[in-house]
Amino acid sequence: MKFRPFPRTVGSFLLSPILAAAALGHDSTTGEEHMHYDWSVKPPKFFLAQAEAASRTLPRQPIQAAAPAGQSAMAAAFQKFAPAVNVRWDEQFLFVESQGLPAHNMMVGITAWQQQVPLPQNYTGSNAWQIPLTPVPAKEPASIRNRFLRGAIALAVNGIPIFNPQNNRGEVSAEIGELDEWGGHCGRADDYHYHAAPLHLQSVLGKALPIAYALDGYPIYGLTEPDGSAPAGLDAFNGHTTAALGYHYHASTKYPFVNGGFHGEVVERNEQVDPQPRANSVREALPALRGAKITGFTTSPDGKERSLIYTVGGRPAAVNYADAGGGSWKFQFVSTDGSKHEETYQAHEGRGGRGGARPEGGRPPRGDDRGGPPQRREGEGTDRRGGPREDRASGRKGGPPFFEADFTGAKFIWSDDLALDNTVLFRTRIEKPGWTPHWNTKLELDVTGAALK
C-alpha cells in the first residue's frame, strides 16, 4: 500500500483531504450519523470532553433475545454503543467485544508521549472482556493504590478498558501529562485505554446508566446518583450501597477517579486482574520522545487511515499510518525537518502483546528531537505484559533456565525505568532499591543503583 498523494499542507507535512478536514475540525463524511458528546457534561477539569469521529464497527453478533433482569440491565449500558460494542453472556459472565477504539477523538493534549499510536485490538471471541454477572463481596476488599498497576481494573461501556490511575511506575498518569483530553492514552502494545473516569460518555448514556463496570462486576456511575442527587457515605473505594442500586462505585474528578479498589472478589495474578484480554501489537514498544506534544489526531471515515500530529520544540511532525490488509500496517514517519520514512509492520497470529516482526526495509531512523522511531529495541525478547518469550527451538519460555546462566561478577546498569529493567532482565522482581532479590541461585546482585520510582 502506498500513501495517497497529500495535496494539503499542515505545518511542514502533508495530509489527505479527509485527514486535513478532520484536523480543521470538520466532518468530511456524509450520510452517516456520528455520536455527539454534550459539552455540558464535564469530565475532570484537566480533560476537555469533545468528539466527532466515525464509529468503528465489528461484525455484529446476535445478542440473546431474553435474559434475566440482572443480565439485561448490565448489557443495556454497553448496547448504547452498538454495533461498535457487542455483548453476549452465559450464566456467570457478561462478555464484551470491541476493537478497543472509541467514537471520540484520541491522543490530543498528551505531553509525555511514549510514541505509541492507537491501533485496533481484537477483543473478541475468547479474547473478549468478561464481567461477573453476580458480584461476590470480597472477604478482604483490595485497594488499587500501588497495586494492580498492570492491565485494566474496569471496562467503560464504550468497550475501552480503564487502567489504574497510576501507571506501571506508580505515578498518577493524569498528573504528569500522559493523558489526552478524554483521559486516555496508548499502552506499549498501541492499545488505547483510560486512566480516569470517562464522564463524557454521559452525553450518550445520561445519568441513569453506569459509565463503566469494575472487573469485580460492580457498576461505576458518574458524579451523582441516577436521580441527580449527590452520593453520600462513600467508602475508601468511592463506593456505597443504596436501596435502589445495591453496592456501586462513583466516578470522581480526583484520585482515584473510578473504583479505588475492589469491593468484590477478583483474582490477582502478575500484578493485574485475571483473566483479561491480551492486547496485540504489531511493532516494538518505543521510549518517550522528549519535548513532544500531541496537537492533532485524525481518522478517515472508513477507519483505515490515521494521522497523529505532534510538535517538538514548536516544530511539527507526524506519524501517518494505514491498514494495509492481512494484519499489515503501513507507517510513515514525518520528522520535524520534513524528512519521511516508511515502515511496514506485520502482525503474527498468537503473538498477543509481544509485538510484530522486524519492519521491512531495515531499521528505522534514530529517535531524537526530530521525531521518528528509534533503533532502541527494549521490548525484544519479552512479553509486553512481563512474560518471557518462548524459545521455539527448545519449547521452553525464555531459552535456557535461569540457573544455568553465569552472572559471576555482574553488576546491573540501571536505566530510569525500573519496570522495564525488571521486565527485561530479571526472573524475580526487585521492588525497591536496597532489596535483596530472591534468586533461584546463590547469586547476590548489587541493586544499590536502582532508580527511585
Side-chain angles (χ1 to χ4, degrees):
M1 171 181 288
K2 292 186 177 180
F3 287 90
R4 67 181 67 180
F6 297 144
R8 190 178 305 206
T9 61
V10 178
S12 62
F13 56 93
L14 300 173
L15 291 177
S16 70
I18 290 173
L19 299 184
L24 296 174
H26 299 295
D27 188 350
S28 59
T29 64
T30 58
E32 183 177 355
E33 184 178 353
H34 301 288
M35 293 180 183
H36 293 261
Y37 289 82
D38 182 354
W39 287 23
S40 68
V41 181
K42 298 296 184 184
K45 62 183 180 180
F46 42 82
F47 304 137
L48 174 62
Q50 59 175 338
E52 288 188 13
S55 297
R56 285 68 165 176
T57 61
L58 290 169
R60 191 172 184 181
Q61 297 185 3
I63 297 172
Q64 286 82 342
Q71 295 177 4
S72 59
M74 182 179 287
F78 292 98
Q79 289 172 328
K80 289 283 188 178
F81 294 89
V85 179
N86 298 328
V87 295
R88 52 187 169 83
W89 51 78
D90 59 19
E91 294 180 353
Q92 292 182 295
F93 298 101
L94 180 79
F95 299 94
V96 182
E97 300 181 326
S98 79
Q99 289 186 335
L101 294 175
H104 62 71
N105 202 8
M106 297 170 281
M107 304 302 287
V108 178
I110 291 175
T111 56
W113 182 43
Q114 297 282 344
Q115 301 191 69
Q116 271 70 58
V117 299
L119 288 177
Q121 301 297 328
N122 185 30
Y123 298 143
T124 64
S126 62
N127 199 46
W129 296 94
Q130 60 183 64
I131 302 171
L133 290 170
T134 306
V136 178
K139 294 181 180 179
E140 297 183 5
S143 171
I144 64 167
R145 186 180 292 273
N146 298 318
R147 189 176 175 185
F148 299 100
L149 298 182
R150 302 173 62 213
I153 60 170
L155 181 66
V157 296
N158 64 345
I160 305 301
I162 303 175
F163 281 34
N164 192 311
Q166 297 173 276
N167 61 24
N168 58 12
R169 300 182 303 277
E171 302 161 309
V172 177
S173 292
E175 297 176 354
I176 59 174
E178 286 189 341
L179 303 186
D180 62 23
E181 295 169 349
W182 300 269
H185 70 179
C186 292
R188 292 169 60 83
D190 288 325
D191 54 309
Y192 187 81
H193 55 264
Y194 300 122
H195 280 267
L199 290 170
H200 44 84
L201 299 183
Q202 287 190 315
S203 61
V204 174
L205 298 163
K207 296 180 179 180
L209 293 172
I211 61 173
Y213 278 84
L215 295 188
D216 62 2
Y218 288 107
I220 304 172
Y221 285 82
L223 303 179
T224 68
E225 302 294 354
D227 63 4
S229 62
L234 295 180
D235 60 26
F237 297 164
N238 268 13
H240 67 165
T241 300
T242 65
L245 300 174
Y247 188 86
H248 59 281
Y249 303 104
H250 279 278
S252 62
T253 58
K254 60 182 180 180
Y255 184 92
F257 301 106
V258 283
N259 52 308
F262 295 107
H263 178 79
E265 290 183 351
V266 294
V267 174
E268 181 180 7
R269 182 172 289 116
N270 295 327
E271 302 178 61
Q272 67 182 24
V273 178
D274 186 76
Q276 61 179 281
R278 289 178 59 85
N280 180 58
S281 178
V282 301
R283 63 194 188 116
E284 300 158 356
L286 303 178
L289 182 60
R290 295 187 301 272
K293 178 180 180 179
I294 299 176
T295 59
F297 186 82
T298 57
T299 304
S300 64
D302 62 4
K304 292 186 176 181
E305 296 182 24
R306 297 177 174 88
S307 180
L308 184 146
I309 306 163
Y310 65 97
T311 62
V312 178
R315 297 174 295 171
V319 180
N320 303 314
Y321 57 108
D323 184 351
S328 294
W329 286 84
K330 184 82 169 182
F331 275 69
Q332 180 190 66
F333 301 94
V334 184
S335 298
T336 56
D337 61 5
S339 61
K340 299 179 179 67
H341 184 81
E342 293 188 1
E343 298 288 353
T344 298
Y345 300 93
Q346 176 68 49
H348 290 272
E349 184 177 358
R351 295 189 68 140
R354 296 173 183 168
R358 184 186 299 272
E360 296 177 3
R363 292 184 175 181
R366 293 183 60 85
D368 52 26
D369 61 359
R370 296 181 306 156
Q375 294 183 18
R376 187 175 178 182
R377 309 175 71 86
E378 297 171 323
E380 191 168 25
T382 65
D383 187 300
R384 291 290 164 91
R385 297 200 176 187
R389 179 174 294 174
E390 181 178 350
D391 181 348
R392 296 185 180 180
S394 65
R396 291 190 300 247
K397 288 192 173 183
F402 179 79
F403 55 79
E404 291 182 2
D406 181 8
F407 289 95
T408 304
K411 180 176 176 63
F412 189 79
I413 301 175
W414 293 92
S415 76
D416 60 356
D417 189 337
L418 182 59
L420 174 65
D421 296 336
N422 278 308
T423 298
V424 175
L425 294 179
F426 298 138
R427 299 301 172 90
T428 187
R429 290 197 61 80
I430 294 181
E431 301 296 339
K432 63 182 181 180
W435 278 26
T436 300
H438 301 289
W439 303 102
N440 53 359
T441 70
K442 296 181 179 180
L443 174 68
E444 295 292 344
L445 185 64
D446 181 2
V447 297
T448 56
L452 287 170
K453 290 291 184 183

